[in-house]
């Protein structure tokens, strides 16, 4: 046999977690056909001496639903060895969607995922109503593979219209939603996602559709998947333990999975500065479900969740009522409010003194000025607000607000409320039932870029901190994800499996600092992120990215139908 592609002399990390070994991998017709020592000839041979060869990474938490329509490579994910992306998380998807609801559905992404509305309007060329039609729009035009979840918001809007933004569903409406969901999954959706995060809303403050759902509605929808024995449930409820006690949330995840018989992926276990031991309680609670044989898997992030902010545009203060109200004011009124001493007193109370849990850490020593808007303040860049306050002889709130006001609210800051305690994060990542990756690729475009969760795990956590073996890290990024999400022919290097592969250098692999670019439809801005040490990203047997450059190939497929097989191309 003449192979299409032969990868010679690499060290194979096959995804199973077994010890790696030196060997070759041969590919024909998009599939792995042989592994071991291979002497046959091939149309193309890649020498992989000194490199690791692993299954492609599966980014299971993305919001690339819209971006995939104008960017088939899913940049920057493809630069980090990601060969399959899963959009449709957190209750949000672009299908199903009736024509009169298009604007409402686009806007559901605007604040929750912080994707610029002008970019969405310019980039999304509507042409579908049903979920299969959306998948058909993607099919044949993809660089990476896509396995998509149906979002609860779109599903509710589709069945209930604008009542989905006002109330719980009736039994008849739930029945209809179940039918639409089943049809979508039979035709290629890999499950459904829902979201009860109390800070997830439209730009005008209206809660998103899925927040009006009762627990019973969510369980019923999960049971629809159970009826066809296909698909997963992804659920996000925001900071667990803020609005509902943690135990209740974890019990709900357990109930969804045990009643439907389908895997549940829930968000998330992170270290938080305001509740430094919560992660351990959550791990213990999660383990109770796992021990009883329930498929309920928490996810975690391999990195700090950074938030960039200016007082023109910030979401990190959403749990602080005065701050939130001010950030919704028109600019002039906002400036006036920020100067008002009485308002400042309230802001100081909420952001310094109050003890109520909040996404914002109240750690002003962890809020850094990253970009001054005026040359006079350049010397303060990279300093924390606490340091700046000391330099200016003010308290932190006055320093932060006065500096912002002096610069027309354009001063850029960055902070992170979660995952600051490395020992805690290492323990979370190592847990055998925790999924690693919360990239949110395609979302929070100007606040943060998390494309590099896999390169972060391989470079920082495994090479530098040695928290687990490389074999185990690769397993977490590949076979574990493919198995839970039902992508049966992905995530392992074995004959017969799809040839989604990544070649990387374990000695150098890492993620780069995000960079701001202006490449979105509508000339809008976003952060991108490059990688070091990723030699090649191979999708269905074709090299998609080589040393950071797109080869021109578009080998991506729509995965789904419950068996992980690529659906046939649309006629
Ligand atoms: Zn999300």
């Amino acid at each position: 046999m003449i192979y299409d592609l032969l990868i010679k002399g690499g060290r194979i990390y096959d995804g199973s977690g077994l010890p790696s070994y030196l060997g070759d991998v041969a590919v024909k017709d998009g599939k792995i056909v042989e592994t071991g020592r291979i002497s046959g000839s091939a149309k193309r041979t890649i020498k992989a001496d000194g490199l690791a060869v692993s299954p492609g990474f599966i980014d299971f938490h993305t919001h690339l639903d819209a971006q995939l329509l104008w960017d088939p490579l899913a940049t920057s994910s493809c630069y980090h060895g990601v060969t399959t992306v899963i959009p449709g998380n957190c209750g949000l998807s672009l299908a199903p969607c009736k024509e009169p609801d298009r604007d409402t559905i686009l806007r559901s992404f605007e604040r929750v995922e912080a994707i610029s509305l002008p970019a969405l309007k310019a980039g999304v060329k509507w042409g579908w109503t049903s979920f299969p039609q959306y998948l058909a729009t993607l099919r044949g035009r993809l660089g990476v593979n896509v396995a998509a979840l149906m979002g609860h918001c779109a599903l509710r809007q589709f069945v209930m219209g604008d009542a989905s933004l006002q109330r719980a569903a009736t039994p008849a409406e739930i029945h209809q939603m179940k039918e639409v969901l089943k049809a979508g999954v039979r035709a290629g959706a890999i499950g459904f996602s829902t979201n009860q995060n109390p800070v997830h809303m439209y730009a005008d403050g209206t809660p998103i559709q899925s927040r009006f759902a009762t627990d019973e509605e969510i369980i019923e929808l999960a049971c629809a998947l159970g009826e066809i024995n296909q698909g997963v449930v992804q659920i996000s409820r925001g900071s667990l333990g803020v609005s509902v006690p943690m135990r209740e949330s974890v019990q709900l995840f357990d109930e969804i999975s045990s009643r439907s018989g389908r895997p549940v992926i829930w968000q998330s276990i992170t270290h938080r500065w305001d509740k430094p031991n919560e992660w351990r309680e959550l791990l213990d609670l999660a383990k109770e479900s796992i021990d009883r044989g329930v498929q309920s898997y928490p996810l975690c992030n391999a990195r700090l969740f950074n938030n960039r902010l200016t007082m023109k545009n910030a979401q990190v203060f959403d749990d602080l009522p005065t701050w939130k109200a001010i950030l919704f004011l028109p600019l002039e009124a906002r400036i006036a409010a920020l100067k008002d001493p009485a308002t400042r007193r309230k802001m100081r109370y909420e952001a310094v003194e109050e003890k109520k849990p909040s996404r914002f850490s109240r750690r002003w020593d962890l809020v850094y000025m990253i970009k001054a808007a005026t040359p006079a303040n350049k010397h303060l860049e990279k300093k924390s607000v606490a340091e700046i306050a000391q330099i200016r002889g003010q308290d932190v709130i006055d320093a932060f607000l006065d500096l912002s006001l002096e610069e027309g609210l354009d001063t850029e800051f960055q902070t992170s409320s979660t995952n600051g305690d490395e020992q805690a994060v290492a323990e979370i990542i190592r847990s055998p039932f925790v999924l690693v990756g919360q990239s949110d690729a395609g979302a929070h475009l100007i606040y943060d870029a998390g494309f590099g969760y896999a390169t972060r795990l391989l470079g920082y956590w495994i090479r530098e901190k040695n928290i687990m073996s490389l074999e185990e890290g690769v397993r977490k990024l590949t076979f574990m994800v493919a198995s839970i999400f039902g992508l049966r022919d992905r995530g392992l290097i074995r004959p017969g499996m799809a040839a989604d592969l990544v070649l990387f250098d374990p000695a150098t692999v890492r993620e780069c600092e995000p960079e701001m670019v202006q490449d979105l439809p509508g000339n809008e801005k976003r952060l991108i992120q490059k990688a070091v040490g990723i030699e090649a990203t191979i999708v269905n047997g074709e090299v998609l990215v080589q040393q950071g450059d797109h080869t021109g190939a578009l080998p991506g497929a729509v995965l789904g139908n419950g068996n992980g097989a690529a659906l046939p191309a649309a006629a």
Side-chain angles (χ1 to χ4, degrees), residues 24-39:
D24 313 325
V25 179
V27 172
K28 176 91 179 164
D29 298 329
K31 296 207 180 301
I32 296 164
V33 287
E34 272 191 76
T35 59
R37 194 158 300 169
I38 300 165
S39 51

Side-chain angles (χ1 to χ4, degrees), residues 93-105:
S93 62
L94 289 173
C97 181
K98 291 174 183 162
E99 204 179 328
D101 295 329
R102 287 174 177 175
D103 193 54
T104 306
I105 290 304

